[in-house]
Amino acid sequence: MSAEAVRRLAEIHTRIARAEEDAGRPEGDVTLVAVSKTFEVEDIRPVLQAGQLVFGENRVQEAQKKWPLLREEFRDVELHLIGPMQSNKVKDAVALFDVIHTVDREKIARALAEEMERQGQTLDLLVQVNTGAEPQKAGVLPDDTADFVTRCREEFGLAVKGLMCIPPVEDVAAPHFALLQKLADGLELPWLSMGMSADFETAVGFGATHVRVGSAIFGARDYG
Ligand SMILES: *Cc1c(COP(=O)(O)O)cnc(C)c1O
């Protein structure tokens, strides 16, 4: 099973390189965030050994159980939080993660600014945009994105790096990626976190700098 993940990792790298080439982008322009949520330390270790150092987790508590141990073995790991943020988890998130993709409200922005100051840590931050305006989904609405990013910068002194989206499952992804790209361009934000197992090549075509790929590397998730 682990050997399988390592084989699939290599395949994803090949597909990303081909998508970069098709889009006329330099090789290595796109960062692969390997999404290891629900998988155990034993599943993740071979992927680290194969040279993958950038990982995404969607829950702070789950990541706390897995990553301190792995970090002792693999010092250069870069950990990304890609799941919704709760304010009571901000302190732990700042202590554990290097990048947060899911800043989406003022309460969290303020808490992050205070906590980074307190811990003397500077994380890279992205604002999550709810491109499909889905009521159940986290993220700021497209029309509110410019205002929110400006407030993050001016009021909380946060250096927002980019935008992130998760298109509605039932939609064609491309228009959502196009919208996120347009919003990021307008705000001169260099990072675009978009594209998952089913659509990362499309996302690369729309300028994704970070693709978040889980099941295409680790296999199907078991939430049991
Ligand atoms: C789980 C998850 C992914 C990875 O999804 P796959 O379809 O398994 O590649 C990407 N982004 C977010 C925010 C996720 O929660």
Side-chain angles (χ1 to χ4, degrees):
M1 148 143 201
S2 301
E4 189 68 358
V6 169
R7 187 188 62 70
R8 285 191 291 238
L9 173 72
E11 192 180 294
I12 299 299
H13 276 297
T14 304
R15 288 170 60 187
I16 289 173
R18 202 177 303 139
E20 286 169 337
E21 193 181 348
D22 289 349
R25 299 177 55 184
E27 195 179 338
D29 216 24
V30 178
T31 299
L32 171 61
V33 181
V35 177
S36 48
K37 67 185 185 200
T38 78
F39 288 93
E40 307 289 341
V41 164
E42 296 72 42
D43 301 315
I44 301 169
R45 188 179 284 111
V47 175
L48 282 155
Q49 282 164 341
Q52 176 68 28
L53 291 173
V54 183
F55 287 82
E57 289 280 348
N58 72 332
R59 300 178 71 186
V60 176
Q61 250 174 320
E62 181 186 338
Q64 278 178 313
K65 290 193 192 123
K66 287 149 54 172
W67 284 97
L69 183 70
L70 287 167
R71 269 220 165 118
E72 284 180 22
E73 291 175 58
F74 302 91
R75 302 254 166 211
D76 296 330
V77 162
E78 187 181 290
L79 207 53
H80 293 232
L81 179 62
I82 62 169
M85 277 293 284
Q86 285 152 357
S87 38
N88 64 346
K89 292 287 186 311
V90 165
K91 185 176 170 198
D92 291 338
V94 168
L96 183 62
F97 288 91
D98 303 289
V99 183
I100 295 178
H101 291 229
T102 49
V103 182
D104 69 345
R105 54 197 191 276
E106 296 210 356
K107 191 178 176 193
I108 293 291
R110 179 182 289 113
L112 279 169
E114 288 171 3
E115 198 55 46
M116 289 196 297
E117 168 87 29
R118 200 173 293 137
Q119 296 188 28
Q121 299 276 6
T122 308
L123 280 68
D124 288 318
L125 303 175
L126 297 93
V127 166
Q128 181 173 356
V129 182
N130 187 358
T131 56
E134 295 172 278
Q136 83 286 4
K137 195 168 273 177
V140 297
L141 293 172
D143 284 348
D144 298 336
T145 303
D147 269 357
F148 181 68
V149 169
T150 304
R151 282 179 69 83
C152 282
R153 287 170 171 161
E154 291 178 0
E155 193 156 327
F156 309 118
L158 295 173
V160 176
K161 273 279 180 67
L163 303 179
M164 174 271 214
C165 77
I166 311 168
V169 280
E170 68 278 10
D171 277 16
V172 173
H176 294 274
F177 297 157
L179 173 59
L180 202 71
Q181 182 181 40
K182 186 165 153 249
L183 289 169
D185 281 353
L187 291 160
E188 296 183 19
L189 293 169
W191 287 7
L192 272 176
S193 166
M194 55 190 196
M196 316 198 328
S197 289
D199 52 24
F200 65 90
E201 286 142 315
T202 307
V204 170
F206 285 96
T209 58
H210 295 71
V211 294
R212 310 178 308 264
V213 179
S215 47
I217 297 169
F218 290 101
R221 283 182 291 273
D222 176 5
Y223 287 96

